[in-house]
């Protein structure tokens, strides 16, 4: 059998640990495959995906900011994409069609369970509601969270998401926390005030039992926590889905405040292993994948 080819696309994508993680899995189970990463500008996504299909790739992972943009390219949509509104896994079928899946939620739920937490009956706060954040927010509703507060710098996006989640009628009380508007003298309201919004979000996060950072804040060295230190305390579980080899700043701030904090590596492994299994039908070695990217 010919060597199978996989890749992850994003913008930026240089930070991605997926190639290292998947290479460890291939080596552990003796699987003949390659896994690359490609930085693809938003305007090039459609042509790039089709090119990889034509080049004989078996599948792609999709990361920020393309999880929504790839959906119109799909010929078949798995229930996970229809339910969660984002696609992070594309499988190229033998007939040339594209099937999309969302494995982010699997990584999310299994990561919580590994730490002894479930969403049912909990108060949850999520900041960052792009492709991944909106999928996790939807999962909170389907998994029976008692209350969910969603926050983002994009006011229309957060309002639309809250309306969509409320319409699911799952019983979860959904609240949209809009950003604080930034005012420019003489020109009215212009954009959002990040610092003021973070204070507002921090106050809301204090009352949550599960706090999730689904923003990319912390992806680059030197970036601050997505929430102020006052947002965290003992008794909370804080998940920072930023997948970096070093503990990201939001998780670091949470841990310093006494919360049970987890970084994005377990989340990354959970979704990546499921992607591999959807592409190949072969069980991934999750332990090998995590060991390859975890810095001691």
């Amino acid at each position: 059998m010919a060597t199978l080819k996989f890749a992850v696309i994003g913008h930026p994508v240089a930070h991605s640990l997926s190639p290292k993680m998947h290479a460890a899995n291939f080596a552990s189970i003796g699987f003949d495959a390659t896994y690359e990463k490609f930085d693809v500008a938003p305007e090039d996504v459609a042509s790039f995906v089709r090119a990889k299909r034509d080049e004989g790739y078996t599948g792609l992972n999709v990361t920020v900011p393309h999880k929504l943009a790839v959906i119109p390219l799909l010929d078949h949509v798995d229930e996970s994409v229809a339910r969660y509104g984002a696609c992070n896994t594309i499988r190229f079928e033998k007939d040339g069609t594209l099937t999309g899946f969302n494995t982010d939620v699997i990584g999310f739920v299994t990561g919580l369970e590994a730490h002894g937490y479930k969403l049912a009956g909990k108060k949850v706060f999520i900041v960052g509601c792009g492709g991944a954040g909106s999928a996790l927010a939807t999962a909170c509703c389907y998994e029976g969270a008692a209350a969910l507060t969603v926050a983002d710098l994009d006011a229309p996006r957060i309002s639309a998401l809250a309306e969509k989640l409320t319409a699911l009628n799952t019983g979860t009380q959904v609240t949209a926390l809009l950003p604080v508007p930034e005012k420019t003298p003489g020109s009215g309201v212009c954009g959002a005030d990040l610092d003021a919004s973070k204070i507002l979000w921090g106050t809301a996060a204090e009352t949550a039992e599960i706090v999730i950072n689904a923003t990319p804040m912390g992806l680059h060295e030197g970036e601050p926590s997505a929430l102020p230190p006052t947002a965290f305390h003992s008794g909370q579980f804080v998940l920072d889905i930023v997948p970096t080899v070093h503990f990201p700043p939001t998780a670091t701030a949470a841990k310093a405040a006494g919360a049970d904090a987890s970084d994005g590596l377990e989340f990354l492994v959970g979704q990546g292993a499921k992607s591999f299994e959807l592409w190949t039908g072969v069980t991934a070695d999750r332990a090998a994948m995590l060991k390859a990217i975890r810095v001691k």
Side-chain angles (χ1 to χ4, degrees):
M1 186 176 74
T3 300
L4 297 185
K5 295 186 291 186
F6 307 100
V8 59
I9 63 170
H11 185 67
V13 80
H15 64 279
S16 177
L17 299 173
S18 290
K20 187 175 182 180
M21 175 180 76
H22 281 281
N25 176 50
F26 301 155
S28 176
I29 66 176
F31 195 85
D32 187 11
T34 62
Y35 190 104
E36 303 162 273
K37 55 186 174 184
F38 296 101
D39 192 315
V40 182
E43 63 270 21
D44 297 327
V45 169
S47 59
F48 187 89
V49 169
R50 294 186 182 111
K52 291 306 166 190
R53 175 198 60 190
D54 295 343
E55 291 170 22
Y57 278 66
T58 297
L60 297 175
N61 278 134
V62 182
T63 189
V64 177
H66 303 320
K67 294 183 182 186
L68 304 181
V70 298
I71 293 178
L73 309 178
L74 304 173
D75 299 292
H76 313 289
V77 176
D78 179 71
E79 180 185 0
S80 58
V81 174
R83 171 176 283 191
Y84 299 115
C87 172
N88 76 316
T89 302
I90 297 174
R91 185 174 68 200
F92 297 123
E93 309 292 0
K94 292 182 178 178
D95 63 0
T97 59
L98 281 64
T99 302
F101 303 86
N102 186 306
T103 66
D104 281 334
V105 172
I106 293 172
F108 172 46
V109 174
T110 57
L112 283 174
E113 291 176 347
H115 285 266
Y117 295 88
K118 290 185 180 294
L119 290 163
K122 297 295 192 300
K123 294 181 180 178
V124 184
F125 176 86
I126 298 179
V127 59
C129 293
S134 62
L136 301 189
T138 306
C140 288
C141 294
Y142 279 113
E143 293 291 323
L148 170 67
T149 300
V150 288
D152 197 281
L153 285 176
D154 188 325
R157 176 163 67 185
I158 206 70
S159 297
L161 176 62
E163 184 177 342
K164 173 186 171 183
L165 296 178
T166 300
L168 295 176
N169 292 317
T170 61
T172 300
Q173 180 183 343
V174 180
T175 301
L177 195 58
L178 300 180
V180 177
E182 179 183 54
K183 292 187 177 181
T184 303
S187 61
V189 176
C190 178
D193 186 324
L194 176 59
D195 291 336
S197 296
K198 286 173 70 170
I199 293 172
L200 179 67
W201 299 339
T203 300
E206 280 184 72
T207 61
E209 297 161 279
I210 296 175
V211 177
I212 300 161
N213 172 38
T215 76
M217 200 169 294
L219 202 55
H220 304 291
E221 190 173 350
E223 289 183 335
S225 167
L227 295 167
T230 53
F232 312 115
H233 55 78
S234 61
Q236 283 178 326
F237 177 73
V238 179
L239 172 63
D240 187 346
I241 72 168
V242 175
T244 58
V245 293
H246 299 291
F247 219 51
T250 303
T252 297
K255 193 172 184 178
D260 182 1
S262 175
D263 64 1
L265 296 188
E266 292 176 18
F267 177 85
L268 180 67
V269 167
Q271 61 81 28
K274 185 59 179 178
S275 293
F276 174 76
E277 290 162 2
L278 287 169
W279 291 326
T280 67
V282 177
T283 301
D285 185 340
R286 287 166 169 76
M289 296 170 79
L290 184 59
K291 183 179 179 181
I293 59 176
R294 175 75 74 190
V295 171
K296 301 296 184 182

